[in-house]
């Protein structure tokens, strides 16, 4: 297969030039300038388009096993493909929890049956994500996990967190930490502040996140073991990450597109598609996150794609589940940040390609000879409005419905196979 | 009367002139309640559905009496617990009720956000009888009306509200309303019962009760709920009442013509002692009486009634 005439943009190799790409056997065989395609070979004309590495979304919920009515590995894979994502890292809060190799094996089997994109599971750090006993991290790694996390169920005990980081690193696994002190977040359903008081909704203060980020950074520093803080949302915790990085602590972090593009104001109409954890924060928090996108503190952008069925979301704001979808809006959101905040394309693309690959220690996230043929072709000029109908996921709980975006994925190629075509 | 609102969801949605309109109508309705035959045909043929998904005796009774005195037919539904906790079910329930063509739904609901949604979706009037921690607009209207009745005007009045400001929809609605009407408001309570961002409300805030008593024209005590002790927001009744309770000693510090208010039901011995609750300064029962008149005025306006006499 050939992809011809597109502008190849690859943060890993710092490539930015018009070139042709030859793909064979799932890998990139060659990258050349205006090469001649073999006559019988399939050819995709990418003139005027961008050719970028297939995106890596290091934080998604595919809900299988257990909650297939919200999403399953097949529907999630299709939504990812439609968003230019060729690797999705799925969290362990399934039913049963992915805390042992048989569940991991089941997931891997479903992924291979779906055969669309690469889905890499995260194993629970503790059994049943209860924060009491370590999970079988080693055996799960053999079965296919790439990281451990009790995402959604923050590890309350500092001692258990310390032990989990140590044990995970024994097997070269990174711990992805969801930082939320539940004694502080309480019954909160949105950012705590003037607006929550005004709306009469219980608030979640910034400090609920900040204290646990600080704790995890201190444990990571003490052990010299990397920790990844997922979905950072406050100015306090992003500053803590920035300072820790400066002093050499092996901490990394990701931020969600919705925390970068939206603020608590989005909750004003009590729309439950604006209810997620961490909550949409203040404009000052958002600005701090954007500053840290620019200065390199933020390593990755991950969607925390959290599908919920319509009738679950159609509850009172207090009662509806936390979470929004994000696979198909990841790239458009990134391009919006690129245009609006003047963040160089290379830098921001790195956050959804090579950076997550490096943090997780996985292949991919780059366009390079001999590498995985995971590619997204993007029409940078396409202007479009997101409607519910466009969403491929089983659940439609996106906070961006009705938004205008510039730039759209037209083709997604995963392991050398076209898995999405607009 | 040209009343621009189909619904009343919050005091925040009303202009000062509109609040005055309600107040100016209230005496007519109050007079009806004092008649021998307490009924006028104003809303004859109209149906008012009272839906209370949270325990309430006085608010429900007040609305029901108000509607009946205007000759509306009333139906009441009470529901506590979990049966209607699902919003979709709530919306379905509301649509079912709507299919029976009521003219007005009066609703109390444990969560914020549903009332504005219902008001938007349903063609009938929707009146908020208290939603979550959000607003309780008719309570604020009757509170403000009682102050106006007593002092002649709200402008320049110094109102002190004491207690659980954080969880009080009554406090929120009163602050919005009193500020619009030109009164000064001071909110008093321990910091654990103060909402975040309280400084933006435009009211003075104090953790000490005693210093603000001598300047107050109105002292409004808010109900303390036992569950707040369970949440460890304050240590217990004894400590609470010693710092924030209104008893004999604090009543003695009040201005001669200052009044005591309470939205009820009272916890005697906690936020208010009998010395205060039963004193001549207390206008708590006036509040209750005015509640009926205010709710009559409001239903009259929202339902486009005629023929007040």
């Amino acid at each position: 297969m050939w992809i011809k005439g597109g502008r190849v943009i690859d943060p890993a190799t710092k490539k930015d030039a018009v070139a042709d790409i030859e793909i064979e056997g799932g890998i990139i065989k060659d990258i050349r300038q205006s090469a001649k395609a073999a006559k019988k070979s399939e050819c995709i004309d990418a003139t005027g388009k961008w050719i970028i590495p297939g995106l890596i979304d290091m934080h998604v919920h595919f809900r299988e096993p257990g909650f297939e009515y919200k999403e399953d590995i097949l529907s999630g894979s299709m939504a990812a493909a439609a968003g230019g994502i060729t690797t999705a890292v799925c969290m362990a809060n399934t039913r049963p929890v992915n805390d042992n190799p048989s569940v991991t094996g089941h997931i891997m089997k479903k992924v291979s049956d779906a055969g669309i994109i690469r889905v890499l599971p995260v194993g629970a750090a503790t059994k049943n994500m209860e924060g009491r006993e370590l999970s079988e991290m080693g055996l799960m790694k053999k079965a296919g996990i790439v990281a451990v996390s009790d995402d959604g169920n923050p590890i309350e005990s500092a001692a258990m967190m310390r032990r989990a980081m140590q044990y995970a690193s024994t097997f070269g696994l990174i711990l992805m930490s969801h930082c939320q002190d539940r004694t502080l977040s309480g019954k909160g359903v949105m950012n705590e502040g003037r607006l929550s008081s005004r709306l009469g909704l219980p608030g979640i203060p910034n400090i609920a996140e900040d204290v646990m980020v600080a704790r995890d950074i201190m444990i990571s520093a003490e052990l010299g073991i990397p920790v990844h803080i997922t979905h950072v949302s406050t100015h306090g915790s992003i500053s803590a990450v920035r300072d820790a990085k400066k002093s050499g602590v092996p901490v990394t972090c990701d931020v969600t597109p919705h925390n970068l593009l939206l603020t608590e104001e989005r909750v004003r109409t009590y729309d439950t598609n604006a209810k997620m954890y961490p909550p949409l924060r203040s404009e000052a928090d958002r600005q701090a996150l954007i500053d840290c996108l620019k200065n390199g503190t933020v390593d990755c952008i991950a969607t925390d794609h959290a599908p919920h069925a319509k009738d679950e979301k159609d509850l009172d704001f207090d009662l509806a589940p936390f979470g929004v979808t994000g696979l198909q809006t990841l790239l458009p959101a990134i391009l919006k940040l690129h245009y609006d905040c003047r963040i160089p394309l290379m830098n921001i693309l790195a956050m959804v390609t090579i950076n997550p690959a490096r943090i997780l220690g996985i292949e991919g996230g780059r366009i390079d000879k001999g590498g995985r043929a995971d590619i997204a072709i993007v029409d940078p000029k396409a202007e479009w409005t997101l409607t519910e109908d466009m969403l491929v996921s089983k659940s439609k709980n996106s906070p961006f419905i009705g938004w205008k975006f510039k730039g759209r994925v037209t083709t997604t190629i995963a392991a050398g196979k076209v898995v999405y075509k607009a | 009367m040209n009343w621009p609102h189909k619904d009343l969801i919050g005091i925040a949605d009303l202009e000062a002139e509109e609040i005055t309109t309600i107040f100016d109508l209230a005496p007519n309705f109050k007079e009806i309640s004092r008649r021998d035959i307490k009924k006028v045909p104003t809303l004859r043929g109209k149906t008012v559905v009272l839906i209370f998904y949270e325990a309430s005796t006085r608010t429900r009774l007040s609305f029901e009496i108000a509607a009946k005195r205007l000759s509306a037919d009333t139906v009441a539904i009470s529901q506590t617990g979990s049966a209607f906790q699902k919003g979709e079910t709530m919306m379905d329930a509301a649509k079912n009720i709507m299919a029976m063509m009521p003219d007005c739904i009066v609703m109390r609901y444990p969560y914020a956000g549903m009332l504005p949604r219902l008001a938007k979706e349903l063609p009938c009037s929707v009146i908020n009888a208290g939603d979550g921690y959000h607003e309780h607009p008719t309570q604020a209207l009757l509170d403000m009306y009682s102050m106006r009745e007593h002092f002649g005007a709200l402008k320049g009045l110094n109102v002190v509200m004491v207690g659980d400001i954080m969880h009080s929809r009554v406090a929120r609605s009163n602050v919005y309303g009193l500020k619009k009407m030109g009164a000064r408001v001071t909110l008093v309570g321990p910091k654990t019962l103060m909402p975040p961002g309280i400084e933006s409300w435009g009211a003075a805030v104090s953790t000490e009760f005693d210093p603000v008593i001598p300047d107050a024209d109105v002292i409004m005590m808010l109900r303390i709920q036992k569950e707040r002790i369970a949440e460890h927001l304050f240590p217990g009744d004894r400590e609470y009442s010693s710092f924030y309770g209104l008893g004999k000693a604090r009543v003695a510090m009040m201005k001669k013509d200052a009044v005591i208010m309470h939205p009820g039901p009272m916890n005697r011995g906690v936020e208010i002692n009998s010395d205060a609750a039963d004193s001549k300064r207390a206008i708590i029962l006036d509040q209750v009486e005015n509640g009926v008149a205010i709710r009559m005025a409001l239903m009259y306006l929202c339902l486009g009634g005629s023929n007040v006499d």
Side-chain angles (χ1 to χ4, degrees):
Chain A
M1 184 201 293
W2 284 86
I3 306 167
K4 290 193 55 98
R7 177 180 159 198
V8 178
I9 308 169
D10 177 39
T13 53
K14 302 273 183 281
K15 213 177 310 187
D16 185 354
V18 173
D20 298 343
I21 295 177
E22 188 186 5
I23 295 168
E24 203 181 285
I27 62 165
I28 295 170
K29 197 179 165 200
D30 203 2
I31 305 167
R32 275 179 290 174
Q33 281 187 313
S34 55
K36 255 191 204 163
K39 268 189 189 157
K40 279 183 187 168
S41 178
E42 185 191 348
C43 184
I44 298 169
D45 182 8
T47 312
K49 308 239 168 73
W50 294 349
I51 298 172
I52 61 174
L55 309 186
I56 298 177
D57 186 347
M58 71 185 302
H59 192 146
V60 306
H61 298 268
F62 277 176
R63 307 297 189 204
E64 187 176 2
F67 304 96
E68 288 84 351
Y69 67 96
K70 296 175 194 253
E71 190 85 284
D72 57 31
I73 286 166
L74 179 62
S75 67
S77 299
M78 282 162 56
I85 294 160
T86 54
T87 301
V89 176
C90 61
M91 287 294 156
N93 61 339
T94 48
R95 190 172 63 201
V97 167
N98 182 21
D99 63 357
N100 68 73
S102 66
V103 179
T104 310
H106 173 81
I107 294 170
M108 297 305 284
K109 165 99 180 30
K110 290 285 181 171
V111 171
S112 112
D113 289 352
I116 296 175
I117 60 157
R118 179 169 62 161
V119 179
L120 302 170
V122 173
T126 67
K127 282 182 189 156
N128 206 30
M129 309 202 334
E130 284 170 355
R132 285 196 288 268
E133 298 168 76
L134 292 172
S135 64
E136 295 173 326
M137 296 181 195
L139 290 173
M140 282 195 288
K141 163 115 187 198
K142 276 191 175 171
I145 65 164
V146 292
V148 291
S149 180
D150 281 1
D151 177 56
N153 270 20
I155 298 176
E156 280 171 24
S157 150
M160 179 49 79
M161 176 55 90
R162 184 165 177 259
R163 214 168 296 142
M165 267 190 224
Q166 275 180 316
Y167 192 70
S169 79
T170 310
F171 301 98
L173 292 166
I174 190 156
L175 193 145
M176 293 174 71
S177 181
H178 166 122
C179 289
Q180 172 186 7
D181 183 319
R182 283 183 159 161
T183 63
L184 286 165
S185 58
K187 290 180 187 152
V189 293
M190 70 170 289
N191 187 43
E192 179 179 288
R194 280 182 204 184
L195 188 63
S196 63
S197 301
R198 175 73 187 77
L199 294 176
L201 293 173
I204 301 166
N206 281 21
I207 194 78
E209 175 174 313
D210 299 352
V211 291
M212 204 176 269
V213 169
R215 178 197 79 174
D216 288 355
I217 286 172
M218 290 174 97
I219 297 172
S220 167
E222 183 232 5
L223 300 173
I225 290 173
V227 66
H228 180 83
I229 313 291
T230 195
H231 48 54
V232 169
S233 74
T234 68
H235 66 88
S237 49
I238 199 71
S239 312
V241 172
R242 184 195 58 212
D243 295 347
K245 282 186 166 193
K246 269 188 203 153
S247 53
V249 180
V251 58
T252 52
C253 73
D254 67 75
V255 178
T256 66
H258 47 265
N259 280 117
L260 289 164
L261 288 172
L262 298 166
T263 67
E264 59 180 351
E265 277 300 317
R266 182 68 177 71
V267 180
R268 201 176 269 279
T269 56
Y270 299 96
D271 181 356
T272 55
N273 286 340
K275 182 178 176 182
M276 67 286 279
Y277 199 92
L280 297 173
R281 300 287 190 183
S282 69
E283 180 60 18
D285 289 308
R286 192 180 83 90
Q287 284 305 331
L289 295 176
I290 286 172
D291 288 346
C292 285
L293 266 191
K294 292 178 179 170
N295 69 25
T297 303
V298 175
D299 296 282
C300 304
I301 296 174
T303 63
D304 194 2
H305 176 78
H308 291 292
K310 193 171 176 54
D311 48 355
E312 292 173 307
K313 271 292 193 183
D314 212 359
L315 300 179
D316 290 293
F317 201 92
D318 285 86
L319 303 176
F322 290 91
V324 297
T325 59
L327 297 168
Q328 281 174 263
T329 44
L330 175 60
L331 186 77
I334 280 174
L335 295 180
K336 188 165 176 53
L337 289 162
H338 160 64
Y339 293 122
D340 293 358
C341 309
R342 298 204 185 109
I343 299 166
L345 199 53
M346 278 293 183
N347 297 12
I348 203 151
L349 280 178
M351 295 177 199
V352 286
T353 56
I354 189 63
N355 292 3
R358 281 187 187 135
I359 289 166
L360 298 165
I362 58 174
E363 272 184 80
R366 51 165 61 217
I367 297 181
D368 212 2
K369 218 167 150 173
R372 287 176 65 89
D374 288 346
I375 283 166
I377 303 176
V378 177
D379 178 356
K381 292 193 197 77
E383 292 188 36
W384 57 289
T385 302
L386 181 71
T387 63
E388 204 174 294
D389 301 345
M390 292 178 185
L391 295 169
V392 175
S393 167
K394 279 190 186 176
S395 298
K396 317 288 179 193
N397 48 312
S398 165
F400 294 119
I401 290 168
W403 273 47
K404 287 197 172 91
F405 290 108
K406 190 179 171 194
R408 193 171 187 180
V409 174
T410 58
T411 308
T412 306
I413 297 164
K417 199 175 100 187
V418 174
V419 291
Y420 172 77
K421 215 164 167 35
Chain B
M1 171 56 53
N2 249 342
W3 183 251
H5 303 285
K6 170 174 84 76
D7 315 293
L8 179 63
I9 303 303
I11 294 289
D13 307 328
L14 294 180
E15 305 292 338
E17 305 82 64
E18 293 168 347
I19 294 172
T20 303
T21 300
I22 298 169
F23 291 169
D24 290 346
L25 276 173
N28 301 321
F29 292 105
K30 193 165 172 174
E31 184 268 324
I32 293 166
S33 294
R34 290 181 170 182
R35 289 183 196 171
D36 204 17
I37 309 282
K38 304 173 177 58
K39 211 172 181 78
V40 289
T42 312
L43 297 182
R44 191 164 56 196
K46 304 271 187 189
T47 310
V48 176
V49 179
L50 305 151
I51 309 177
F52 279 71
Y53 287 143
E54 217 182 46
S56 162
T57 307
R58 74 188 59 207
T59 303
R60 199 189 113 173
L61 192 59
S62 180
F63 268 110
E64 190 157 359
I65 287 174
K68 289 196 157 132
R69 287 192 180 154
L70 295 172
S71 298
D73 296 310
T74 61
V75 192
I77 303 169
S78 296
Q79 190 84 44
T80 51
S82 62
F84 282 90
Q85 280 196 346
K86 288 188 163 190
E88 182 62 12
T89 314
M90 183 61 248
M91 195 50 89
D92 277 348
K95 282 180 179 162
N96 276 280
I97 291 164
M98 206 52 232
M100 300 177 211
M101 305 294 166
D103 300 283
C104 178
I105 290 177
V106 175
M107 186 150 145
R108 168 163 295 187
Y109 196 65
Y111 306 106
M114 180 55 70
L115 269 293
R117 211 175 133 191
L118 284 178
K120 220 174 122 194
E121 296 262 336
L122 303 182
C124 71
S125 288
V126 176
I127 295 177
N128 183 359
D131 61 335
Y133 304 153
H134 180 225
E135 281 226 43
H136 191 354
T138 58
Q139 179 70 43
L141 288 169
L142 74 88
D143 290 340
M144 289 191 285
Y145 178 73
S146 303
M147 294 178 211
R148 192 180 92 147
E149 191 181 54
H150 189 89
F151 292 100
L154 291 169
K155 200 170 164 59
L157 224 52
N158 192 7
V159 180
V160 172
M161 271 186 268
V162 188
D164 185 359
I165 311 295
M166 173 133 71
H167 303 95
S168 174
R169 52 196 174 207
V170 176
R172 278 173 179 71
S173 290
N174 265 302
V175 172
Y176 299 144
L178 286 165
K179 289 213 32 176
K180 282 183 198 200
M181 303 311 287
R184 280 183 295 148
V185 184
T186 305
L187 301 170
V188 178
K191 286 185 180 176
T192 48
L193 295 178
M194 294 286 186
I198 194 171
E199 62 289 346
S200 70
W201 289 22
V205 179
S206 171
T207 53
E208 284 183 85
F209 191 8
D210 292 344
V212 303
I213 294 173
D215 285 331
D217 297 304
V218 176
I219 292 181
M220 190 190 295
M221 305 309 295
L222 297 174
R223 176 180 168 75
I224 284 296
Q225 286 170 304
K226 296 284 178 196
E227 69 204 64
R228 306 300 168 217
I229 301 178
E231 288 170 30
H232 307 292
L233 292 173
F234 60 93
D237 290 351
R238 183 169 75 168
E239 172 142 321
Y240 185 84
S241 64
S242 90
F243 286 89
Y244 301 107
L246 187 61
K248 209 172 188 171
R250 290 200 170 103
V251 171
M253 294 160 68
M254 290 171 69
K255 260 200 259 189
K256 224 168 54 195
D257 55 347
V259 298
I260 296 164
M261 297 176 74
H262 194 298
M266 294 183 280
N267 290 305
R268 285 176 187 256
V270 185
E271 73 269 4
I272 194 162
N273 287 357
S274 296
D275 301 319
D278 304 331
S279 80
K280 283 187 185 142
R281 295 162 180 277
I283 59 165
I284 296 166
L285 294 175
D286 296 347
Q287 289 175 268
V288 179
E289 184 188 2
N290 288 332
V292 175
I294 285 289
R295 287 169 179 132
M296 286 169 82
L298 192 68
M299 281 191 258
Y300 164 76
L301 289 169
C302 289
L303 276 77
S306 56
N307 196 7
V308 184
D309 301 313

